[in-house]
Amino acid sequence: MTPGTQARLDRIGTDGRYLTVPMDHGITIGAVGGLKEIEDTIDAVTRGGADAVLTQKGIAPRVHPNRNDAGYVVHCNASTAVGPDANDKRMTATVEEAIRAGADAVSMHVNVGSDSEPTQIEDLAELSKRAGEFGIPVLAMTYARGPGVDATDPERLGHAVRLGEELGADVVKTGYSGDAESFEHVVESTRLPVVIAGGEPEGDHATLDAVRGAMDAGAAGVSMGRTIFQHDDPEAITSAVSGVVHDDLPADEALDRADLAVEA
C-alpha cells in the first residue's frame, strides 16, 4: 500500500474503522426520501459522525459544500431497479473522473453468483489496477447475490469478500449473515477490513443489533444507505451507529445516547 493510499483511507475512516453512508441510490431507485434534498442529508449524517459519504460522480457538486470535512467516495458502477436485470451493474465512472470529482476513494459493486458476475470481476480488476496507479483506495462491495444464491450464507459471503481482496481492493463490503458467530467466518476469509451493508430498514434496534454483532465478529464498520438516509432523523441514527462502530457501545446504550427510543 502506498503512502497516498493509506492517507486517503484515513480520510474515509477513523483509526481503521469505517462508517460510510452511501447515497448513490438515486440512479437505482430514484429521488426517494432523503435524496431529493441530498444536501441536507449529507450535512445531517456527517454531523452525526459519518466518516464518509458515497455518491455517483454527478452529485459531487452537491456533496462538497455539505460534508463537514468527512471523506468522499465516488461509486463507479450502477443499474436501475426498473431495468432488465438489477444485478447487472455497468460502469458509470473512471478513476480519473472520480479524482476530478474530488473523491478520496472509489467503490464498485460486484454480485458474486449473478449472471453478470464475469463482467463485474473484470471491471473491479481494472478499477483496482487504475486506482493503484494514483494511490486511490478501492471499496469493493462484494455481495452474494444471484439465481439460487443465499445472500446470508456465510460461506458465500466469505467467498465474496475474498474475491474483493484477490482483485486488489482495500476495503470490502458485504451483507450480514445474521449473527456474530457465523459472520466470524466472513471476516476470517480476508485480511482486508470488512464492513457490512445496511439492507432494508427493519427498525433501529435491529439495525444496531446487526452492527453490534458484526463488530463483535471482527468487522471494521458499516456502509449503510437507506437505513440511515431514509430515517426520520438521519443525524441521530448515524450517531447511534457511530456509538457502536467507534465507541464500542452496546446497542441499547448507543440508541439511548443518540436520544432514540429503545424499542420494546
Side-chain angles (χ1 to χ4, degrees):
M1 182 180 296
T2 68
T5 303
Q6 184 60 62
R8 293 180 180 93
L9 276 174
D10 291 343
R11 295 178 198 165
I12 65 168
T14 302
D15 297 328
R17 291 192 172 188
Y18 303 88
L19 199 179
T20 301
V21 182
M23 287 178 271
D24 57 312
H25 302 65
I27 200 169
T28 307
I29 56 177
V32 297
L35 298 183
K36 284 185 178 179
E37 300 298 336
I38 196 170
E39 295 88 345
D40 294 341
T41 307
I42 291 166
D43 178 56
V45 302
T46 53
R47 281 189 286 108
D51 295 303
V53 295
L54 177 154
T55 75
Q56 292 283 341
K57 63 187 180 186
I59 303 297
R62 304 174 70 177
V63 171
H64 292 297
N66 302 288
R67 61 186 175 87
N68 298 306
D69 294 325
Y72 179 44
V73 184
V74 167
H75 197 55
C76 295
N77 66 349
S79 63
T80 74
V82 296
D85 183 2
N87 285 334
D88 186 6
K89 304 292 182 180
R90 299 297 180 99
M91 293 294 294
T92 56
T94 65
V95 171
E96 291 87 344
E97 287 176 309
I99 292 170
R100 287 194 291 271
D104 300 304
V106 293
S107 63
M108 179 166 283
H109 185 133
V110 177
N111 289 313
V112 181
S114 70
D115 292 338
S116 52
E117 175 200 285
T119 298
Q120 292 168 26
I121 287 176
E122 291 177 347
D123 289 344
L124 178 57
E126 178 59 29
L127 185 80
S128 64
K129 171 180 175 291
R130 192 64 172 153
E133 294 171 0
F134 291 94
I136 302 295
V138 176
L139 165 62
M141 302 184 181
T142 54
Y143 294 87
R145 191 175 292 173
V149 177
D150 180 351
T152 63
D153 181 347
E155 293 294 330
R156 297 293 189 187
L157 295 172
H159 185 179
V161 297
R162 183 54 176 259
L163 178 146
E165 180 179 8
E166 298 275 347
L167 293 177
D170 300 287
V171 182
V172 284
K173 169 185 175 178
T174 198
Y176 184 52
S177 59
D179 60 81
E181 183 178 2
S182 64
F183 201 69
E184 285 183 5
H185 169 73
V186 182
V187 174
E188 292 168 354
S189 296
T190 177
R191 291 190 177 181
L192 296 182
V194 177
V195 300
I196 64 163
E200 294 285 349
E202 296 182 356
D204 296 346
H205 208 288
T207 295
L208 271 292
D209 280 343
V211 177
R212 183 66 270 165
M215 299 303 292
D216 289 344
V222 303
S223 176
M224 287 188 164
R226 289 169 294 172
T227 301
I228 289 178
F229 72 71
Q230 289 193 308
H231 195 276
D232 290 340
D233 191 338
E235 181 177 355
I237 191 63
T238 305
S239 177
V241 173
S242 179
V244 177
V245 171
H246 290 306
D247 299 325
D248 208 29
L249 297 180
D252 286 353
E253 189 174 338
L255 287 167
D256 184 65
R257 192 180 75 170
D259 290 326
L260 290 171
V262 177
E263 299 152 0

